[in-house]
Amino acid sequence: MKRVSEILANVRIENRKNLLEPEAKAICQEYNISVTRFKVAKKEGEVVKFAEEIGFPVVLKIVSLGIIHKSDVGGVMLNLKTANEVEQAYRTILTNAKKHQPNVEISGVLVQEMAPQSTEVIVGAIKDDQFGPSVMFGLGGIFVEILKDVVFRVAPVSKQEAELMITEIKAYPVLRGYRNQPPLDTNAIADVIVNTSKLVMDYQEIKELDLNPVMVYEKGAKTVDARIILE
Ligand code: ADP
Ligand code: MG
């Protein structure tokens, strides 16, 4: 795909391995993985304009190659409802980033659509030394970090296999629905898994990919954070 190849070529020209969130999300879009609408503000004057174009509420995030875990440095501000809140958040994020790393190079501030809160899942991929591109699925937060409740498959993964993966995690009842919790759109998650599998099969230079989190709804799913690392 032309756009994906262009982005990856540019990353290589700049002699780096990490993609920025907007680059990773632009690649996701080419593979029909739904992401939050976004624009990168390069100066203060753009941030409110972009927020208005995207529509309130919005989220602001630091864009910097030196910052991998954005929320750890106070680089993510959620649910900004007015122009005033957006302006303030813009300054706070830049201050926080510089406080954390005084010489950090900042590419801009990402303005994006605020996705309604919901159950968060993770879709990932790694290039395994032995098995090659492999995809991972699990629920977000403690399910992955503490309980290691995840499943892996060697790519390519078919839609049927993706559906099976989803049922294999211990936390599957959370997605299937329980008591008066309605079932979530596991079909949309399966599509994300399949499209991620296609992406890492097509571009074998991808060493790691992380869609963390993907918000899952009764209808649809939306990726709110994406990370890609090249070999
Ligand atoms: P980090 O680099 O720290 O992983 P994230 O972009 O994942 O940063 O943001 C941290 C958390 O903020 C996410 O796990 C998610 O819960 C929430 N979040 C981030 N972006 C959005 C968004 N666009 N809409 C709603 N929630 C979001
Ligand atoms: Mg994240």
Side-chain angles (χ1 to χ4, degrees):
M1 264 182 241
K2 191 162 163 282
R3 176 100 180 95
V4 179
S5 301
E6 274 170 13
I7 293 169
L8 295 180
N10 179 57
V11 171
R12 239 174 262 111
I13 287 167
E14 292 182 7
N15 220 345
R16 54 186 166 102
K17 300 212 184 319
N18 287 1
L19 275 68
L20 295 163
E21 181 179 334
E23 292 170 331
K25 280 185 168 169
I27 288 176
C28 287
Q29 286 175 323
E30 295 297 310
Y31 276 82
N32 290 321
I33 297 167
S34 162
V35 301
T36 42
R37 269 176 294 141
F38 66 90
K39 284 198 151 189
V40 181
K42 298 277 187 188
K43 47 181 192 265
E44 186 163 352
E46 288 174 337
V47 75
V48 169
K49 184 170 151 265
F50 290 170
E52 280 164 353
E53 281 170 23
I54 288 165
F56 293 100
V58 294
V59 174
L60 296 194
K61 299 187 197 179
I62 194 76
V63 184
S64 167
L65 288 167
I67 299 170
I68 305 285
H69 299 287
K70 301 174 292 285
S71 44
D72 288 357
V73 304
V76 177
M77 301 207 69
L78 302 173
N79 205 22
L80 307 166
K81 296 190 206 73
T82 63
N84 208 355
E85 281 180 20
V86 166
E87 266 169 12
Q88 267 176 11
Y90 178 84
R91 290 190 211 114
T92 306
I93 281 178
L94 293 180
T95 310
N96 288 349
K98 284 173 191 151
K99 213 184 285 169
H100 177 78
Q101 262 175 270
N103 297 321
V104 75
E105 203 175 303
I106 292 164
S107 308
V109 170
L110 188 60
V111 186
Q112 67 183 251
E113 163 194 0
M114 170 84 192
Q117 218 61 50
S118 192
T119 300
E120 298 186 357
V121 302
I122 299 175
V123 175
I126 51 156
K127 191 166 179 194
D128 185 83
D129 287 342
Q130 266 188 312
F131 300 110
S134 309
V135 293
M136 181 274 248
F137 168 72
L139 251 69
I142 61 159
F143 291 99
V144 166
E145 282 159 28
I146 299 169
L147 303 174
K148 314 279 181 227
D149 183 18
V150 295
V151 286
F152 282 91
R153 279 291 191 295
V154 175
V157 175
S158 68
K159 181 78 181 266
Q160 215 178 357
E161 277 180 288
E163 283 164 353
L164 203 57
M165 279 174 83
I166 296 166
T167 65
E168 280 170 8
I169 58 166
K170 292 195 197 74
Y172 174 59
V174 174
L175 302 171
R176 191 193 48 206
Y178 58 97
R179 293 197 192 155
N180 47 11
Q181 292 294 311
L184 298 174
D185 195 342
T186 49
N187 183 56
I189 305 174
D191 284 336
V192 175
I193 294 172
V194 170
N195 291 332
T196 298
S197 160
K198 281 185 190 147
L199 166 59
V200 295
M201 285 304 287
D202 289 351
Y203 291 90
Q204 303 248 344
E205 62 263 61
I206 295 176
K207 192 174 134 221
E208 280 178 48
L209 175 153
D210 246 312
L211 310 179
N212 182 8
V214 179
M215 298 281 186
V216 190
Y217 302 103
E218 284 173 55
K219 220 175 174 333
K222 195 165 266 189
T223 297
V224 307
D225 184 25
R227 194 165 11 248
I228 292 177
I229 301 172
L230 304 183
E231 282 185 318

